[in-house]
Amino acid sequence: TSLSINSTSATSTITVTAPSGCAWTATSNASFITILSGASGTGNGSVFISIPDNAGAARTGTLTIAGLTFTVSQAGALATASFELLDPSTSGSSPTTECRIRSSGTPPPVTTCTVRSTSVATGSASIANYAWTVQYVYDNPVTVTQTGPNPQFSFSDTCGKTGSTSDGVARPLQVTLTITDSAGGTATVSSGTGAQPALSIRLFTCGS
């Protein structure tokens, strides 16, 4: 008659036991509980539900199944995910919204930019893992990832590839960070969503 889960998304199957020929329905009474299948049935059956990540405070909702109440309790998020972009070649340690792939020399030196977590854990929780994904298009689609305890992730590229220009053509830079706290809860944030600004990568020809 009840289900308790942490702040991460979950699915669950609720078993309905009813006499043969007995018709029943299932209704969600909470906006965060979705019935994926089994909204009605006859006799024995199952109700399959889905609950998304909870980025806020703890919450409780109910379903009415065959006239009975089923309660879902979900813990609140123990951490808030956020990050900032650093371009050491232009902004030093100050946050910026663009990474510039701009260098000179033979062969062209590598340009490195860094994303740094500014995530905050609450209560007694601590952040145990950072999963980074950085994506952009430069000549070809580029995807780089890092997972582990490091709150920073540096990625590098070189000037002068196909698509670069002397004034530095701007392309979208998509960054996604998922943090996992010591209680097993997760939180995810991406550039251009919520309070996170949209980011770009500027691609220069060498020597520009």
Side-chain angles (χ1 to χ4, degrees):
T1 58
S2 64
L3 171 69
S4 295
I5 59 174
N6 63 25
S7 63
T8 57
S9 61
T11 56
S12 182
T13 301
I14 305 166
T15 300
V16 180
T17 302
S20 177
C22 177
W24 51 268
T25 60
T27 304
S28 172
N29 305 311
S31 60
F32 72 93
I33 305 172
T34 300
I35 297 176
L36 299 178
S37 63
S40 62
T42 302
N44 294 338
S46 298
V47 180
F48 190 44
I49 64 171
S50 173
I51 302 101
D53 286 342
N54 182 12
R59 57 190 178 183
T60 300
T62 65
L63 299 99
T64 302
I65 305 175
L68 302 177
T69 299
F70 186 92
T71 302
V72 176
S73 301
Q74 186 176 32
L78 297 182
T80 301
S82 60
F83 61 86
E84 58 190 13
L85 173 68
L86 306 176
D87 183 351
S89 67
T90 59
S91 63
S93 59
S94 300
T96 183
T97 58
E98 63 178 27
C99 170
R100 295 188 171 201
I101 306 301
R102 182 178 190 175
S103 51
S104 60
T106 305
V110 169
T111 301
T112 299
C113 290
T114 299
V115 281
R116 178 172 64 191
S117 171
T118 53
S119 306
V120 178
T122 59
S124 60
S126 59
I127 302 174
N129 188 76
Y130 303 83
W132 295 97
T133 300
V134 173
Q135 295 176 303
Y136 58 94
V137 175
Y138 185 12
D139 193 9
N140 291 296
V142 176
T143 299
V144 287
T145 61
Q146 174 181 286
T147 301
N150 194 339
Q152 291 194 167
F153 178 33
S154 295
F155 57 99
S156 303
D157 218 318
T158 57
C159 61
K161 292 183 180 179
T162 302
S164 61
T165 62
S166 60
D167 58 351
V169 61
R171 299 278 177 79
L173 176 63
Q174 183 67 28
V175 179
T176 299
L177 169 63
T178 298
I179 59 173
T180 303
D181 63 34
S182 53
T186 64
T188 299
V189 67
S190 297
S191 53
T193 63
Q196 291 292 144
L199 303 178
S200 61
I201 187 167
R202 293 189 62 185
L203 312 172
F204 289 84
T205 53
C206 296
S208 299

